[in-house]
């Protein structure tokens, strides 16, 4: 059994980043709702729990009905780290005082470490004029701790937030007002690693090569002699899921590759060659493009489009599963970020951003149980798992592609004409990213960007080609850099590259006469446009 950390979720949009950072420290962790009962916490402790982290949240701890931390958290004898709301809840419940802050803090801040607690000792970004150790952190709070609980000492502060950190070393209780889980907190990984390893005593026993054997055994026990049907898209998640399940149960797995008319250029041919020809996986190729396009006619709302595409996928799987005598399971490449954005984390307490067609359960009519071997993994863990399974790096490190395909990259109504234009423009963009290297790093711009694609805009603009006037469509290029896909910055691609992509699209894709580049970050924008 792995050493593990329990993360209690109080509704923060970045709770999953805490888990990701803990996993990066090679420690297994699980996220559970912040309102679990005392019995659950005690049961976890009895099974070898090493520590607990309390997440941030959007509420105020003094509001009526606000979530409280289970009393057992402070009674089972393991170290506890409270972050933002988690620190304020800890302070209030242990006898301190929390109130509304006159000066709110959102964004960059510089925190002075006070004293030499085990959590922060020796961790700093720079020294100020008075030789005090300082941390560059990210704050997001409108409340503050006014009075420390009994037994706690001041651990960190800013001019506008006198209690930016607190500690009770005797009990191993720590609280920070800033967010160590986000990349904007420079020493965030060091702080969380210090907590899970040195304070909680966790070993470095969570890694993907070792996880393969565990996952394979779990799948075999779960599935038994049943057959499994998997929706294979050709993207990273479904590809790794297919490879993992195939390793576990071999020909008990049948993959269904659905061409919904919204794939990338030459996608179907590439998928069949890679998986059927090279890996020997049983694949059924279904061309359902006419059906999907028919149901999408006249639909412009992005959520409606996602639901239609998800519904039609279920219909296809239901038809194909009916042909398999022993099919009892539907496998999906669902990963953590899918769950986060669909339901505001497992708890449903955070604000939902968008739905995912492969999250949220299955209709009773499908008569299949759900198999999601990647559900608890982050994208970087999925990629490492893929390499450990022997998948080619060019497949594993392919940019993410949404389940609804180009359906959410065509704004407004989805038409076959729009999809044809978009897939050609997108292919040109990706080709140029792959063929252009950054001189400083020597890497291609495809490698340097985390996700890149074209978006079709349902508007026309006036242009001039030769001596004639044109009135054609517009595409937007989107490229972002991110480590977690929860936050992302737009990629500063070279002007020469953007110019070359624009020129090729306008010259080679008849029907497009204007190309623009998206320079929005996430947040406030999302990575995809819909």
């Amino acid at each position: 059994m792995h050493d593990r950390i329990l993360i209690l979720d109080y509704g923060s949009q970045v709770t999953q980043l805490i888990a990701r950072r803990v996993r990066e420290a090679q420690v297994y962790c699980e996220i559970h709702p912040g309102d679990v009962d005392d019995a659950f916490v005690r049961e976890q402790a009895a099974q070898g729990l090493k520590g607990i982290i309390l997440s941030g949240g959007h509420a105020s701890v003094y509001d009526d009905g606000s979530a409280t931390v289970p009393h057992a958290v402070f009674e089972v004898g393991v170290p506890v780290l409270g972050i933002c709301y988690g620190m304020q809840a800890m302070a209030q419940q242990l006898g301190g005082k929390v109130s509304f802050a006159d000066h709110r803090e959102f964004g960059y801040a510089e925190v002075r470490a006070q004293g030499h607690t085990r959590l922060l000792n020796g961790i700093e970004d720079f020294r100020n004029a008075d030789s005090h150790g300082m941390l560059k952190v990210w704050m997001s709070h409108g409340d503050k701790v006014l009075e420390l609980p009994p037994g706690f000492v001041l651990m960190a502060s800013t001019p506008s937030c006198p209690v930016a950190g607190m500690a009770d070393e005797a009990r191993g209780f720590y609280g920070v007002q800033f967010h160590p889980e986000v990349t904007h907190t420079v020493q965030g990984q060091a702080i969380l690693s210090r907590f899970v390893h040195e304070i909680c005593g966790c070993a470095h026993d969570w890694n993907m090569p070792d996880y393969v054997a565990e996952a394979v055994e779990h799948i075999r026990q779960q599935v038994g002699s049943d057959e499994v049907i998997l929706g294979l898209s050709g993207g990273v998640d479904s590809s790794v899921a297919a490879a993992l399940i195939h390793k576990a149960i071999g020909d008990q797995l049948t993959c269904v590759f659905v061409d919904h008319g919204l794939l990338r250029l030459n996608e179907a041919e590439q998928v069949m060659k890679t998986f059927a020809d090279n890996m020997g996986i049983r694949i059924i190729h279904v061309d359902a493009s006419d059906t999907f396009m028919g149901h999408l006619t006249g639909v412009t709302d992005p959520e409606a489009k996602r639901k239609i595409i998800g519904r039609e996928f279920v219909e296809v799987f239901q038809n194909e599963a009916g042909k398999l005598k022993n099919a009892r399971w539907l496998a999906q490449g669902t990963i953590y970020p899918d769950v986060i954005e669909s339901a505001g984390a497992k708890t449903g307490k955070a604000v939902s951003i968008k739905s995912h067609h492969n999250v949220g359960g299955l209709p009773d009519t499908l008569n299949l149980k759900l198999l999601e071997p990647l559900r608890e993994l982050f994208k970087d863990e999925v990629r490492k798992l893929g390499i450990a399974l022997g998948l080619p790096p060019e497949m594993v490190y392919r940019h993410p592609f949404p389940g609804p395909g180009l359906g959410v990259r065509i704004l407004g109504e989805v038409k076959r004409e729009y999809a044809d234009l978009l897939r050609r423009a997108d292919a040109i963009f990706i080709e140029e990213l792959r063929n252009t290297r950054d001189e400083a790093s020597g890497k291609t711009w495809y490698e340097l960007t985390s996700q890149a694609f074209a978006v079709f805009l349902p508007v026309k603009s006036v242009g001039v080609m030769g001596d004639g006037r044109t009135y054609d469509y517009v595409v937007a290029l989107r490229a972002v850099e991110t480590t977690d896909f929860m936050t992302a910055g737009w990629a500063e691609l070279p002007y020469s590259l953007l110019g070359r992509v624009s020129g090729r699209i306008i010259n080679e894709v008849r029907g497009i006469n204007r190309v623009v580049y998206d320079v929005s970050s996430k947040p406030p924008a999302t990575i995809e446009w819909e």
Side-chain angles (χ1 to χ4, degrees):
M1 180 181 294
H2 296 285
D3 287 345
R4 71 187 189 281
I5 298 292
L6 170 64
I7 300 170
L8 294 182
D9 179 19
Y10 292 97
S12 169
Q13 286 287 350
V14 293
T15 296
Q16 299 286 347
L17 292 187
I18 303 173
R20 187 175 181 275
R21 300 290 177 244
V22 172
R23 298 276 187 88
E24 286 178 346
Q26 295 186 309
V27 175
Y28 180 71
C29 60
E30 295 179 358
I31 295 177
H32 290 276
D35 58 359
V36 295
D37 59 22
D38 288 338
F40 174 83
V41 176
R42 292 194 176 97
E43 180 183 356
Q44 291 280 306
Q47 295 175 0
L49 184 68
K50 292 288 189 175
I52 299 172
I53 299 177
L54 312 175
S55 85
H58 50 77
S60 295
V61 296
Y62 48 77
D63 287 343
D64 291 339
S66 62
T68 58
V69 179
H71 293 294
V73 165
F74 306 114
E75 298 169 351
V76 293
V78 300
V80 181
L81 172 63
I83 297 173
C84 195
Y85 181 95
M87 180 183 94
Q88 294 168 7
M90 179 189 292
Q92 178 160 290
Q93 291 180 226
L94 295 181
K97 185 176 181 181
V98 178
S99 75
F100 177 78
D102 296 331
H103 182 87
R104 299 183 299 171
E105 287 184 302
F106 294 97
Y108 176 80
E110 294 179 354
V111 170
R112 175 189 168 186
Q114 303 274 357
H116 298 286
T117 62
R118 292 180 65 195
L119 184 65
L120 298 183
N121 187 31
I123 298 177
E124 61 186 52
D125 288 306
F126 67 96
R127 294 245 160 180
N128 64 12
D130 297 321
S131 294
H132 297 137
M134 304 292 291
L135 294 168
K136 298 178 180 180
V137 305
W138 190 70
M139 292 276 198
S140 180
H141 67 102
D143 296 329
K144 64 181 179 181
V145 175
L146 277 183
E147 297 178 9
L148 294 172
F152 280 77
V153 297
L154 183 64
M155 183 170 67
S157 64
T158 72
S160 56
C161 182
V163 183
M166 63 182 195
D168 181 339
E169 299 267 62
R171 290 185 286 179
F173 294 168
Y174 300 87
V176 292
Q177 187 60 66
F178 56 88
H179 288 264
E181 68 271 30
V182 301
T183 54
H184 303 76
T185 298
V186 178
Q187 300 294 335
Q189 184 64 60
I191 293 169
L192 289 171
S193 294
R194 171 75 59 81
F195 178 72
V196 299
H197 289 303
E198 298 183 27
I199 294 174
C200 296
C202 294
H204 296 74
D205 64 355
W206 174 254
N207 60 78
M208 288 304 100
D210 292 342
Y211 178 71
V212 171
E214 296 178 30
V216 164
E217 181 59 29
H218 182 71
I219 292 169
R220 287 173 178 166
Q221 291 181 1
Q222 190 173 7
V223 172
S225 60
D226 295 340
E227 290 189 21
V228 177
I229 183 171
L230 180 144
L232 181 64
S233 70
V236 176
D237 303 332
S238 67
S239 297
V240 173
L244 178 62
I245 297 170
H246 185 255
K247 182 177 180 65
I249 60 173
D251 287 344
Q252 290 172 242
L253 170 67
T254 298
C255 293
V256 177
F257 176 71
V258 180
D259 185 348
H260 48 27
L262 300 167
L263 301 172
R264 288 170 285 198
L265 192 65
N266 300 323
E267 184 106 45
E269 295 84 350
Q270 293 172 2
V271 168
M272 294 304 294
K273 180 178 180 180
T274 299
F275 290 92
D277 298 345
N278 296 341
M279 297 180 62
I281 296 178
R282 183 186 299 166
I283 301 181
I284 299 172
H285 183 185
V286 181
D287 185 352
S289 55
D290 289 342
T291 301
F292 277 84
M293 288 296 181
H295 285 291
L296 289 168
T297 300
V299 180
T300 60
D301 180 74
E303 278 298 287
K305 289 192 291 185
R306 286 178 179 272
K307 285 181 170 58
I308 288 170
I309 293 170
R311 182 193 71 208
E312 291 307 309
F313 264 110
V314 171
E315 288 292 327
V316 172
F317 293 144
Q318 190 165 10
N319 291 335
E320 296 303 325
K323 303 173 185 177
L324 299 175
K325 182 179 179 180
N326 295 317
R328 298 291 183 270
W329 299 85
L330 173 63
Q332 297 183 152
T334 308
I335 65 173
Y336 253 179
D338 298 338
V339 180
I340 303 162
E341 293 196 332
S342 294
K346 289 182 178 178
T347 65
K349 291 182 173 59
V351 179
S352 179
I353 305 299
K354 62 185 177 183
S355 66
H356 289 260
H357 77 275
N358 59 342
V359 175
L362 299 172
D364 293 337
T365 56
L366 193 54
N367 297 318
L368 293 175
K369 293 175 284 187
L370 197 56
L371 178 64
E372 295 176 314
L374 310 180
R375 186 181 179 88
E376 302 300 329
L377 301 183
F378 292 100
K379 179 68 75 172
D380 58 334
E381 291 179 317
V382 172
R383 295 188 196 279
K384 292 175 183 177
L385 179 60
I387 294 296
L389 287 165
L391 292 176
E394 58 270 22
M395 175 194 296
V396 171
Y397 287 97
R398 191 179 190 187
H399 287 182
F401 189 62
L406 301 181
V408 292
R409 292 179 179 173
I410 298 171
L411 303 194
E413 184 181 4
V414 176
K415 296 182 179 181
R416 195 179 295 273
E417 171 199 0
Y418 298 167
D420 289 340
L421 291 173
L422 179 57
R423 80 176 97 249
R424 291 165 61 199
D426 185 77
I428 289 171
F429 186 28
I430 298 303
E431 181 182 340
E432 290 295 337
L433 288 172
R434 288 187 182 277
N435 292 339
T436 307
R437 291 190 178 274
D438 171 55
E439 293 184 2
S441 67
K443 295 183 178 180
T444 68
W445 277 101
Y446 186 83
E447 295 173 297
L448 291 172
T449 53
S450 306
Q451 191 168 359
F453 53 90
V455 178
F456 182 87
L457 307 184
V459 296
K460 288 188 172 183
S461 71
V462 174
V464 178
M465 290 187 179
D467 295 324
R469 175 185 182 274
T470 62
Y471 189 54
D472 288 327
Y473 291 107
V474 181
V475 293
L477 305 179
R478 177 74 157 146
V480 299
E481 298 172 342
T482 179
T483 57
D484 49 44
F485 290 87
M486 295 296 295
T487 61
W490 60 276
E492 297 184 28
L493 300 180
Y495 292 154
S496 58
L497 171 57
L498 290 171
R500 189 161 59 252
V501 173
S502 175
R504 283 194 59 191
I505 290 174
I506 292 171
N507 288 325
E508 297 176 28
V509 185
R510 186 178 296 273
I512 296 174
N513 72 351
R514 192 177 299 270
V515 176
V516 299
Y517 187 53
D518 182 350
V519 293
S520 308
S521 295
K522 176 186 179 179
T526 55
I527 294 177
E528 298 283 351
W529 278 43
E530 288 191 343

